[in-house]
Amino acid sequence: MASKPLKTETRGRVAILTLNRPEALNALNSELMNEVCDAVAKYSADEKIGAIVITGSEKAFAAGADIKEMQDQTYMDVFMSDFFARWNEVAYARKPTVAAVAGYALGGGCELAMMCDFIIAADNAKFGQPEITLGVIPGMGGSQRLTRAVGKAKAMDLCLTGRMMDAEEAERSGLVSRVVPADELLETAIGAAEKIANFSLPAVMMAKESVNRSFEVPLDEGLRFERRLFHSLFATEDQKEGMTAFVEKRKAGFKHR
Ligand code: CAA
């Protein structure tokens, strides 16, 4: 029996989604990405889960969208099915998502990682948008999210030359939040997710929403949005608990997790 393209497990309040197509370096085909989107939606709605980690193997997070699946598709096929549109759902998860990237994160693999809230990279990670070498361009956000993450110069360099950048360059450019030894990657990512999952969930969700808003609106609108969310958190018991615990020099026990 063929193994499942996506493995899912939970550890405490953290859901771990593992891309599992080793024969294709975790290339993202429709079956796999539908499973990823379904799992993200399921765990986002699960009150026992506070954060989601998406990872691959030590050799590849994902080497891109599945070229063999796309090879014979026509313009009408991809236009009429709005190919890739659903895959963007990962970016709209309300619960926090962490990408734990080792090995290749190319094309759609890099784009899937960028849909997560932040990326923790193993020291062997390699990021790139090599679509240009296939006669196409990024189609899952590479030209948009990468540019916002690393700026025009590097985004143009990667999208136009198709070259890969290593973990050190990715961290220096602001694409990844931290780089760790490959054998510590998953534990580090789960540890970060666990930490997030034990804070007040409304505060976590609003922090995520507020950071994401900064990509969409002018500064003044963003500042007002942030302030209104900040005000609204004073309606939660967790704000009282968090601040009282600080004053009383004890650990906060958040209720809404
Ligand atoms: N789609 C389908 N199959 C893929 C794949 C992909 N993106 N990437 C790798 N594979 C398959 C290979 O075809 C190969 O399968 P076979 O053994 O059946 O031939 C297997 O995975 C192992 O790959 P390689 O033998 O090529 O492994 P390597 O170690 O020599 O090279 C690599 C690794 C440099 C990552 C190379 O596999 C590669 O260049 N892959 C393609 C990367 C790419 O172009 N990605 C962008 C895809 S398009 C896209 O993602 C569009 C978008 O915007 C969403």
Side-chain angles (χ1 to χ4, degrees):
M1 205 177 75
S3 56
K4 284 164 70 77
L6 184 72
K7 292 200 278 189
T8 63
E9 60 184 295
T10 59
R11 215 189 287 176
R13 292 181 46 74
V14 177
I16 304 153
L17 314 187
T18 306
L19 308 172
N20 182 41
R21 294 189 69 213
E23 71 287 358
L25 299 180
N26 291 334
L28 307 169
N29 61 12
S30 302
E31 184 191 9
L32 173 54
M33 278 311 295
N34 281 331
E35 289 200 14
V36 170
C37 293
D38 289 346
V40 166
K42 179 181 114 177
Y43 288 121
S44 258
D46 184 342
E47 62 182 27
K48 295 188 291 305
I49 296 300
I52 300 166
V53 171
I54 303 181
T55 194
S57 69
E58 189 163 342
K59 178 149 191 216
F61 177 73
D66 191 315
I67 299 166
K68 292 167 189 165
E69 186 181 62
M70 292 186 288
Q71 180 184 7
D72 293 325
Q73 294 210 40
T74 65
Y75 169 75
M76 284 303 280
D77 294 332
V78 293
F79 177 73
M80 294 310 286
S81 67
D82 205 4
F83 194 48
F84 292 155
R86 184 182 182 212
W87 303 9
N88 203 34
E89 283 176 16
V90 174
Y92 296 114
R94 294 186 78 207
K95 299 256 173 86
T97 51
V98 181
V101 173
Y104 298 111
L106 303 177
C110 185
E111 292 165 306
L112 174 61
M114 290 191 292
M115 284 183 210
C116 295
D117 296 327
F118 62 97
I119 302 172
I120 300 181
D123 50 13
N124 74 339
K126 286 193 185 315
F127 297 86
Q129 297 292 160
E131 290 88 346
I132 200 75
T133 68
L134 301 169
V136 291
I137 68 167
M140 280 168 65
S143 66
Q144 304 301 302
R145 292 198 175 95
L146 185 65
T147 308
R148 282 164 171 79
V150 304
K152 176 183 167 184
K154 216 164 267 286
M156 283 287 190
D157 182 357
L158 291 171
C159 290
L160 295 182
T161 68
R163 79 171 175 90
M164 297 181 208
M165 67 177 169
D166 63 18
E168 194 268 324
E169 183 181 358
E171 187 184 30
R172 187 161 24 96
S173 318
L175 180 62
V176 311
S177 67
R178 3 179 171 165
V179 178
V180 297
D183 60 359
E184 293 170 20
L185 175 69
L186 194 56
E187 287 315 309
T188 307
I190 293 171
E194 233 162 39
K195 184 166 192 185
I196 295 166
N198 283 303
F199 290 131
S200 172
L201 187 56
V204 164
M205 288 166 72
M206 287 190 205
K208 168 171 173 157
E209 201 176 342
S210 196
V211 173
N212 281 333
R213 192 74 166 205
S214 72
F215 291 103
E216 310 291 343
V217 299
L219 180 61
D220 221 40
E221 279 304 312
L223 291 172
R224 198 186 329 274
F225 181 77
E226 178 194 77
R227 208 158 57 239
R228 294 295 174 243
L229 290 183
F230 176 79
H231 294 160
S232 73
L233 286 167
F234 284 71
T236 66
E237 291 163 271
D238 285 341
Q239 173 266 332
K240 300 288 171 298
E241 168 59 13
M243 293 191 181
T244 304
F246 174 82
V247 172
E248 294 176 354
K249 300 188 188 301
R250 61 174 172 81
K251 192 174 180 309
F254 294 116
K255 196 168 169 191
H256 297 287
R257 296 189 309 136

